[in-house]
Amino acid sequence: MKGKNILIALVVVAIGAALVGANLYWKKETGVTVTVEAIKTRDLESIVSASGKIQPKRLVNISADTSGRVVDLAVNEGDRVKVGQFLLQIDPKSLRTRVDSGNASLQAAEGSLDQSRQSVETSRVQLDLANRNLARQRDLWNQQLTTREALEKAENDVRAAESSLREREKQVTSQAARINQERASLESARYDLSKVRIESPIDGIVTRRNIQEGETAVIGTMNNAGTVLLTLADMSVIQAEVEVDETNIPHVQLGQAAKITIDALPDRTFRAHVAEIGNSPIQAAGAGAQSTTSTNQATNFKVVVVLDEQIPDVRPGFTCTADITTATRTGVMAVPIPAVAVRELVFDSNNQVVKPPRDPNRRPGVPSATPAAPAELKPGETRKEVEGVFVVRNGVAEFVTIKLGISGDKYFEVLEGLKADDQVITGPYNSVRALIDGDPVKVETPKK
């Protein structure tokens, strides 16, 4: 019985010792383990990335100016063409008939004009004879050798000859106008006939052929866009049309350098520059029929980036990504992006941070399950969100407000608030998110 009591006492002592040891251990491990990085100077580039399509600087859609059947098609998709090169021809029979008819009408009108001019000459001769006869009749009347009737007849003959001459002259003028009209109609028919033979207006590539030989080309009308027969692309100047988010548009400027990557040509980048920035947002398809109050859709702007080098294998429509360098900095203080946190702080009337009292029951690095309500502000105090980092000083995390500049790939430029070799806390992410000013921390030793 005595031995049993001794055994129970030993068990109780062992349990008590274990509890005391555990308590001492947890009291010792009061700081949260964090990773840090020393602040130093770096070279930074601010990049705006956007995706889009490769497009030629000049794209020409060849449409029919006259309806008819395609009787000769000389190019295929992918063919390279030169300015003036023959592309296709539409059946010219009906238009050639118009030209022949116009020629015949013009010749007939010119023949009529010659006849009218001859009639004018005849009328002038008749008028001259009538004037001479009138002069003789007046001389005879003065000598009382003719009758009044003969004199009046001579005067009437002169008036009739003058009227006939004026009429014939008017016919000549009208016939000359008709000839001009027939000549204009003939020129129009010849011009329409010339349009049945279509030649390339640019040097480029046939990127699309929408018609086959033997099919009928239709001209456009108010309600019909007409047939686009061929699409030609001038690939001497290549550009990328990309969509940039509205938040990045203020940073994009004309002339900024860019790098283009094309999905179809992997592991290669191409030099480029910004040539055009859209002033109006890109309208989504069918947006005009939808409500303009929708806020679920991102607002993007078109930016045109022109490539500074030739790409022989590129084709219009290739998917691409443009990395536009909007700003560069050399030898500036930089902080890792994961280290930057946003906190709501209280400032007094002198713009100094008012530190709240610490919660003794709070575990460092662990977010509170029930966040405390914001304390009531005193007169002159303001509450606002600020950006900052946690700096390790004397074993605790001290929140330091900073002023940021441009954003690089992995680092922010620091304009104010930090100095070289400051140890800023970079992780773990959840710990940085939950830290508050004054939390004890332990710096994790980097693994070798």
Side-chain angles (χ1 to χ4, degrees), residues 120-305:
V120 169
E121 292 299 324
T122 302
S123 296
R124 285 175 179 169
V125 171
Q126 292 175 350
L127 176 61
D128 184 60
L129 292 174
N131 284 325
R132 290 179 183 180
N133 183 46
L134 177 61
R136 286 194 299 269
Q137 291 296 325
R138 284 175 177 170
D139 288 340
L140 293 173
W141 174 260
N142 292 332
Q143 299 175 18
Q144 299 295 318
L145 298 176
T146 185
T147 63
R148 182 71 181 178
E149 181 181 359
L151 177 62
E152 291 177 350
K153 181 178 182 302
E155 291 175 346
N156 291 334
D157 289 343
V158 169
R159 286 194 290 269
E162 289 175 345
S163 176
S164 177
L165 177 61
R166 287 194 296 270
E167 182 180 356
R168 299 293 172 83
E169 287 176 343
K170 289 180 180 179
Q171 288 179 355
V172 169
T173 302
S174 175
Q175 195 63 30
R178 180 188 168 193
I179 287 178
N180 291 332
Q181 182 179 2
E182 294 292 343
R183 186 175 288 115
S185 298
L186 178 59
E187 290 299 322
S188 176
R190 286 173 176 169
Y191 177 68
D192 290 341
L193 180 61
S194 69
K195 291 188 292 184
V196 299
R197 177 184 171 88
I198 299 178
E199 299 175 348
S200 175
I202 63 171
D203 292 341
I205 299 175
V206 180
T207 59
R208 184 173 299 173
R209 194 184 78 176
N210 297 328
I211 199 165
Q212 299 293 332
E213 189 170 322
E215 294 181 350
T216 300
V218 179
I219 62 174
T221 61
M222 183 177 295
N223 299 321
N224 181 14
T227 304
V228 176
L229 308 177
L230 301 169
T231 300
L232 307 182
D234 179 7
M235 302 302 291
S236 61
V237 179
I238 306 170
Q239 62 188 25
E241 295 183 1
V242 298
E243 298 183 7
V244 177
D245 186 82
E246 61 180 328
T247 57
N248 293 322
I249 278 293
H251 307 297
V252 179
Q253 302 294 329
L254 294 177
Q256 289 176 338
K259 292 181 180 179
I260 303 294
T261 57
I262 302 174
D263 294 353
L265 305 173
D267 303 324
R268 297 174 62 186
T269 59
F270 306 95
R271 293 177 290 104
H273 66 277
V274 177
E276 182 182 334
I277 303 172
N279 288 321
S280 300
I282 299 172
Q283 297 292 335
Q290 297 175 357
S291 173
T292 57
T293 60
S294 175
T295 58
N296 296 329
Q297 217 167 24
T299 301
N300 296 326
F301 288 76
K302 185 181 82 169
V303 174
V304 176
V305 182

Side-chain angles (χ1 to χ4, degrees), residues 338-377:
V340 178
V342 177
R343 293 292 185 271
E344 187 179 74
L345 301 180
V346 176
F347 293 82
D348 60 17
S349 57
N350 297 322
N351 205 31
Q352 299 297 317
V353 177
V354 178
K355 295 187 177 181
R358 291 186 56 80
D359 182 2
N361 297 321
R362 180 182 172 277
R363 185 176 175 183
V366 177
S368 176
T370 56
E376 186 176 350
L377 296 178

